[in-house]
Amino acid sequence: MPIMYDESQRLFHLQTKDSSYILRIAKDAYPSHVYWGPKLDAARFRGRVEATERCSFHPNFIAEDRTFAFDTLPQEYPSYGTGDYREPAVHVAFPNGTTVTDLRYESHAITAGKPALPGLPATYVEDDAEAETLELRLRDAVSGLVVVLQYSVFAGFDAIARSARFENEGAAPVVLQRALSASVDFATDDFDVLQLSGAWTRERYPHRRPLAPGILRVDSKRGSSSHQQNPFLALLAKDATERHGEVYGFSLVYSGSFVAQAEAEQYGTSRVGIGIQPFDFSWKLEPGETFQTPEAVLVRSSEGLGGMSRTYHKLYRTRLCRGAFRDKARPILVNNWEATYFDFNAEKIKRIAAAGKELGIELFVLDDGWFGRRDSDNSSLGDWVPDKRKLPEGLDALARDITATGMEFGLWFEPEMVSPDSDLYRAHPDWCLHVPDRSRTMGRQQLILDLSRRDVCDYIVESVSAILESAPITYVKWDMNRNMTEIGSALLPPDRQRETAHRYMLGLYDALERITSRFPHILFESCSGGGGRFDPGMLYYMPQTWTSDDTDAVERLKIQYGTSIVYPASAMGAHVSAVPNHQVHRSTPIETRGHVAMSGNFGYELDLTKFTEDEKDAVRGQVAQYKALRELIQFGDFYRLKSPFEGNETAWMFVSSDRNEAFAAFFRVLAAPNAPLHRLTLQGLDPRKAYRLEETGETFGGDELMHFGLPVTGLRGDFQSKLFVFKAVE
């Protein structure tokens, strides 16, 4: 049983694959955190905790017990106002203007399986035996507010999914001002904190720094998870490395503004909280109404960052992503964006597609510029009607001409946006996010549709569906190219305006659910200026994301390495683009560009019709090699071997679940004179098995490859790479 309850101690013992998470109902009323770490014997555990009086500045909620103070109590869901001066998980305003909440344990339930979260993306199970769920019901007696803490414990993963549901059982409305998904109190602050941060075209760089007294916060106030920060934070033991040590990960299944923070306090303890961004957020909860927070996925690893990553990878790949493409090999594609931008016609598109077919590419994707009068980024978003100037015979004819050759056809959309120069905006100027009497700030010459409105969501669903039904389309790239400003809705009353951003996300999720359910044969890829919304929430609807608009091979080493801290290779779109690269103007060999892109969902983003014969031969080889390896790459276990943030070399590898196949990639950025000889040590192999290196036919022991390694030779010049493919032999 993953969840055990000891009534005599009022103790809940949650057991994942190799971990225990323990909480107690202190004083028969307050959920208190006891332990999270390596698995303990539930029958023997007593969890003895010393209770001592600390100092008179800690208010004692129970007057006769001066050892009991909320300011020092490790809590499961701390609230504001009764003596805990650390960051709370919940902050509520009541009709009399007060914000004091006293949430006390009322009851609990333990059930098999894992319930869905209404209207929100979340991890799931396919059989109730895969998980158990604990629900703790807490009540504020004065207001009638009930908070239900949900803990879903996965039997096969070191992972716990947490969320909170608010129910107003009182007679008056209350206003949620802060409603985090999870909070965990640790008995020590002797940690480093890891975050994934960056900017457009350099997303998700890992940053590690010591936790010090005060609050370390990563967040987004942009209305999306953002290029700048990712909804993830991890605590690392000081000695934790890629391969060894204790790591605690917190990942939020949400695509809007968020906060993730770690607080170190006066007695050497720490608190982590994660959830919806409380800045400029509130939610009015009328009597009888409920509010559900997004889900936070907590992962513990004793095998360092790599162990944490592989847990997230498998869980998100198999129990967050859904649909026909969850377990299906993804096609190799060519996208015309960097080949043509807005300047194309049907014949040009068909020539690129034909060149791709000749090289073994399986899918052609028509990017921006096919609709309205879209010759630049200043018009036509919202007018999802094919442009007959560029496609005189229509979109359907183009798609059928391409699919007749044996290739599939895909299409780019940006459904959440509207151009002021569009028929849609002229007809419905109130359909965008806006605030009365304030300017409508432009971003990329566009505004954001108000997806908190049902009529706007219906328009998006029906207009996109009409296009998808009009032609043989099997892939959609769903883009979103600006962040929110003037966050207001014409349909919400004044006291609900601060609900707009979250209602937008609920509307988006509803539209995505309707569209993806209506077209289960279509592979959807999320995009937001590249990686500006690369988060678990989007993966629930779209199993892959365009990793970054930066397609330079050297830059992608860092971007893809950092992204892999949480997200599997099957989620990462990675393309070979032209040189000099359009973002950084660097020229790298096509072999290296191919090897980097092969480490995700492989494709090309350039004008194939301009290739030389040598380049065509190189691409044919890359395509053939990726087809042979793609199930291993997309669904194997991933190991980071060398970090691009620590030196001139990068390496990573993929290993099949049965450990019979492995693919390793090594990259050297700059050549050095008289450089030392290097050996590459691998991971994840079976030390008892022998492996044949497919390139040379040589045989190595798995133990030899992991401990002694193999030499990396034959590299000449800058920006070089080398691949190693191994298969187990008898």
Side-chain angles (χ1 to χ4, degrees):
M1 294 284 288
I3 301 176
M4 291 149 281
Y5 176 55
D6 183 340
E7 187 171 6
S8 65
Q9 298 189 80
R10 308 302 298 272
L11 196 76
F12 296 90
H13 193 136
L14 286 57
Q15 289 191 341
T16 63
K17 180 173 171 286
D18 295 308
S19 303
S20 287
Y21 186 108
I22 303 172
L23 59 104
R24 169 183 281 126
I25 306 301
K27 302 295 185 183
D28 292 328
Y30 305 106
S32 172
H33 185 77
V34 176
Y35 174 84
W36 186 19
K39 184 179 284 188
L40 302 178
D41 186 323
R44 293 200 301 263
F45 181 78
R46 289 296 176 267
R48 301 171 185 86
V49 178
E50 285 289 325
T52 60
E53 180 182 355
R54 292 299 183 102
C55 82
S56 61
F57 276 85
H58 299 307
N60 303 115
F61 193 68
I62 301 173
E64 62 272 18
D65 186 354
R66 297 181 66 173
T67 70
F68 186 82
F70 287 134
D71 201 26
T72 59
L73 181 71
Q75 297 182 64
E76 281 297 302
Y77 204 69
S79 59
Y80 172 77
T82 55
D84 188 343
Y85 299 106
R86 297 165 290 178
E87 287 282 294
V90 57
H91 190 197
V92 184
F94 299 102
N96 63 1
T98 64
T99 57
V100 175
T101 308
D102 179 15
L103 293 168
R104 302 191 184 195
Y105 168 83
E106 183 176 76
S107 63
H108 74 270
I110 299 172
T111 57
K114 182 179 186 296
L117 301 187
L120 286 166
T123 54
Y124 60 88
V125 296
E126 293 185 336
D127 187 296
D128 282 348
E130 295 179 17
E132 276 192 338
T133 297
L134 166 67
E135 288 194 344
L136 291 179
R137 186 176 178 87
L138 315 179
R139 179 182 293 273
D140 179 61
V142 172
S143 67
L145 177 66
V146 170
V147 180
V148 180
L149 304 182
Q150 181 173 299
Y151 302 74
S152 290
V153 182
F154 293 91
F157 300 93
D158 277 314
I160 298 172
R162 285 191 58 181
S163 65
R165 183 174 71 252
F166 292 76
E167 302 172 354
N168 187 356
E169 295 187 356
V174 300
V175 177
L176 307 181
Q177 297 182 330
R178 184 184 188 94
L180 299 189
S181 299
S183 180
V184 178
D185 283 355
F186 291 85
T188 179
D189 63 358
D190 193 22
F191 291 113
D192 288 342
V193 178
L194 184 76
Q195 65 194 73
L196 302 178
S197 305
W200 176 70
T201 66
R202 48 182 175 86
E203 298 89 345
R204 290 172 301 285
Y205 283 18
H207 295 265
R208 180 174 178 170
R209 47 183 165 154
L211 181 59
I215 298 174
L216 192 158
R217 176 181 292 118
V218 294
D219 67 354
S220 169
K221 303 178 185 72
R222 298 170 180 269
S224 71
S225 49
S226 83
H227 297 87
Q228 290 71 23
Q229 306 288 355
N230 200 258
F232 163 81
L233 180 146
L235 294 186
L236 286 66
K238 292 293 187 179
D239 62 351
T241 65
E242 179 65 29
R243 304 187 189 191
H244 306 288
E246 291 286 308
V247 177
Y248 299 87
F250 297 79
S251 174
L252 188 66
V253 186
Y254 189 61
S255 309
S257 297
F258 74 92
V259 66
Q261 62 189 34
E263 179 179 9
E265 60 90 49
Q266 58 187 321
Y267 294 117
T269 61
S270 55
R271 171 176 289 175
V272 172
I274 190 168
I276 293 174
Q277 169 66 260
F279 175 80
D280 203 40
F281 163 84
S282 69
W283 193 276
K284 187 176 182 180
L285 206 59
E286 296 283 359
E289 291 185 342
T290 64
F291 178 85
Q292 174 66 56
T293 73
E295 178 174 278
V297 178
L298 283 55
V299 167
R300 175 197 159 266
S301 166
S302 60
E303 298 177 351
L305 273 174
M308 182 204 71
S309 295
R310 285 185 289 279
T311 297
Y312 275 123
H313 293 174
K314 189 172 183 181
L315 180 63
Y316 283 177
R317 191 176 68 239
T318 64
R319 292 298 181 267
L320 178 65
C321 295
R322 303 176 298 160
F325 289 91
R326 186 191 74 178
D327 305 318
K328 185 177 178 181
R330 314 286 169 75
I332 301 170
L333 65 84
V334 57
N335 182 300
N336 72 296
W337 177 241
E338 289 192 15
T340 67
Y341 294 102
F342 296 103
D343 184 17
F344 62 83
N345 56 36
E347 293 308 312
K348 175 63 175 178
I349 293 302
K350 285 190 277 190
R351 286 197 299 272
I352 295 174
K357 174 63 178 175
E358 178 191 347
L359 300 174
I361 296 171
E362 300 158 315
L363 166 67
F364 175 83
V365 179
L366 179 60
D367 211 284
D368 197 354
W370 59 268
F371 55 93
R373 297 185 67 85
R374 183 79 165 170
D375 298 324
S376 68
D377 64 6
N378 63 7
S379 75
S380 301
L381 287 174
D383 297 343
W384 301 110
V385 179
D387 184 352
K388 289 296 185 74
R389 298 172 305 144
K390 297 178 182 178
L391 309 177
E393 296 181 4
L395 184 67
D396 179 53
L398 174 64
R400 293 191 182 281
D401 285 345
I402 290 173
T403 56
T405 69
M407 289 191 81
E408 295 183 70
F409 183 78
L411 198 60
W412 177 96
F413 286 91
E414 194 173 0
E416 300 166 62
M417 302 292 149
V418 63
S419 301
D421 182 10
S422 68
D423 292 339
L424 179 65
Y425 187 79
R426 284 184 281 272
H428 300 285
D430 63 328
W431 274 19
C432 68
L433 293 177
H434 68 281
V435 173
D437 304 320
R438 301 291 181 184
S439 298
R440 301 186 180 191
T441 302
M442 302 287 283
R444 200 174 179 255
Q445 300 296 312
Q446 60 198 54
L447 298 166
I448 303 178
L449 289 171
D450 180 4
L451 271 67
S452 73
R453 298 174 55 144
R454 181 71 181 192
D455 53 355
V456 173
C457 291
D458 288 345
Y459 172 80
I460 290 173
V461 171
E462 293 311 315
S463 60
V464 170
S465 296
I467 292 293
L468 297 182
E469 289 169 345
S470 73
I473 296 166
T474 56
Y475 167 99
V476 164
K477 181 179 179 182
W478 183 293
D479 210 344
M480 190 277 285
N481 279 313
R482 63 157 293 183
N483 293 137
M484 292 182 183
T485 55
E486 292 85 45
I487 304 174
S489 174
L491 293 190
L492 291 176
D495 59 349
R496 289 189 179 272
Q497 285 296 319
R498 293 174 70 191
E499 300 176 9
T500 303
H502 182 60
R503 287 185 179 276
Y504 178 101
M505 294 314 308
L506 296 177
L508 172 63
Y509 290 149
D510 175 68
L512 294 179
E513 182 69 30
R514 287 193 276 165
I515 291 173
T516 56
S517 299
R518 192 163 168 177
F519 301 96
H521 67 287
I522 292 178
L523 171 60
F524 288 84
E525 179 176 276
S526 172
C527 179
S528 176
R533 205 163 59 182
F534 202 130
D535 58 63
M538 294 305 293
L539 289 182
Y540 183 74
Y541 305 97
M542 303 182 180
Q544 62 189 56
T545 301
W546 180 227
T547 312
S548 176
D549 277 350
D550 190 339
T551 55
D552 172 68
V554 174
E555 294 300 310
R556 272 301 187 105
L557 293 174
K558 291 182 177 180
I559 294 167
Q560 290 173 208
Y561 187 98
T563 302
S564 76
I565 298 292
V566 179
Y567 303 101
S570 62
M572 290 189 234
H575 297 172
V576 176
S577 62
V579 292
N581 175 263
H582 289 195
Q583 290 80 45
V584 300
H585 309 289
R586 180 187 285 123
S587 292
T588 53
I590 194 167
E591 290 80 6
T592 301
R593 283 176 275 154
H595 293 167
V596 175
M598 278 187 198
S599 300
N601 293 317
F602 188 45
Y604 293 84
E605 190 148 339
L606 38 65
D607 191 344
L608 300 174
T609 66
K610 295 180 179 179
F611 270 9
T612 65
E613 289 304 316
D614 286 346
E615 288 173 324
K616 289 180 181 179
D617 289 341
V619 170
R620 287 191 186 95
Q622 291 173 356
V623 168
Q625 185 168 36
Y626 187 75
K627 287 178 179 178
L629 293 170
R630 69 174 148 193
E631 293 202 16
L632 172 61
I633 293 168
Q634 292 175 5
F635 307 120
D637 294 328
F638 182 76
Y639 295 83
R640 293 179 292 269
L641 307 179
K642 285 179 172 286
S643 169
F645 298 95
E646 296 176 0
N648 191 45
E649 298 171 347
T650 304
W652 50 55
M653 67 181 294
F654 302 84
V655 182
S656 62
S657 59
D658 60 9
R659 297 200 280 183
N660 283 333
E661 291 184 84
F663 162 65
F666 175 89
F667 307 93
R668 188 189 67 196
V669 177
L670 297 178
N674 196 26
L677 298 177
H678 293 289
R679 304 188 70 84
L680 181 64
T681 55
L682 307 185
Q683 295 183 51
L685 303 176
D686 187 332
R688 299 162 299 178
K689 290 183 178 180
Y691 292 88
R692 182 179 64 249
L693 177 59
E694 294 294 279
E695 180 187 22
T696 65
E698 296 174 275
T699 300
F700 303 85
D703 53 353
E704 177 184 354
L705 291 169
M706 290 192 292
H707 302 297
F708 182 66
L710 71 163
V712 181
T713 59
L715 302 181
R716 299 288 185 270
D718 297 337
F719 317 131
Q720 296 297 302
S721 60
K722 193 173 182 68
L723 302 186
F724 304 91
V725 179
F726 293 94
K727 292 191 177 179
V729 295
E730 293 296 330

